[in-house]
Amino acid sequence: QTDDIALLAHLRTSDDPWARRVVEHRPFRRVLERHGDARATELSPQVEALSAAGIDVISAAGTGRLSRYARIGGKRLRAPEIYVVESQPGLSGERVRPLREASGVFDRYAEDRVIARLYVAEEALGEARVVLGGTRPG
């Protein structure tokens, strides 16, 4: 029995700071983003530094695979091969290779990657950047 209109009407009557942010369209902004494996995306020290400075922080991380080409599935098996024609100045002839052999990008992104982000209130963004050493969103 609750729709968006009813939810917003309820939030408008609330004094809760998070409800006020929603009603006033004041979302948290990204202050830091890291990509890589679990070790490279560990942001606990940054969260602790922001919290110690009295800055509310939201930490969010997700894992995904950036390339599906490394995984040969049923649909991919039926797809036509993509070829790269390579030629070098000064050499005669051309070399033709399948894309998966000509580029290592698919292999580099075949593993799951973590993207970790920290968000702070817009009004705290400047102070948060100072605390984090001038780090800008990735």
Side-chain angles (χ1 to χ4, degrees), residues 25-133:
H25 303 282
R26 295 185 302 120
F28 271 33
R29 299 261 322 264
R30 181 184 59 191
V31 69
L32 180 62
E33 180 174 301
R34 296 248 175 97
H35 298 234
D37 59 19
R39 193 178 84 215
T41 58
E42 174 56 44
L43 297 179
S44 296
Q46 290 83 0
V47 169
E48 289 174 18
L50 291 168
S51 296
I55 300 172
D56 288 330
V57 59
I58 296 173
S59 178
T63 303
R65 184 161 292 169
L66 299 177
S67 172
R68 292 174 297 193
Y69 288 95
R71 187 183 76 221
I72 304 296
K75 186 175 183 180
R76 185 69 194 130
L77 285 173
R78 292 188 303 273
E81 187 77 64
I82 299 172
Y83 292 93
V84 174
V85 179
E86 299 172 326
S87 61
Q88 295 180 353
L91 296 177
S92 62
E94 297 174 330
R95 182 177 177 189
V96 178
R97 294 194 298 165
L99 178 60
R100 71 181 182 289
E101 292 175 15
S103 174
V105 72
F106 303 116
D107 293 333
R108 283 195 301 275
Y109 292 109
E111 299 299 318
D112 285 345
R113 307 272 297 169
V114 178
I115 300 175
R117 296 180 177 113
L118 297 182
Y119 298 88
V120 299
E122 186 165 10
E123 57 271 19
L125 198 54
E127 183 183 356
R129 287 181 175 151
V130 170
V131 169
L132 296 174

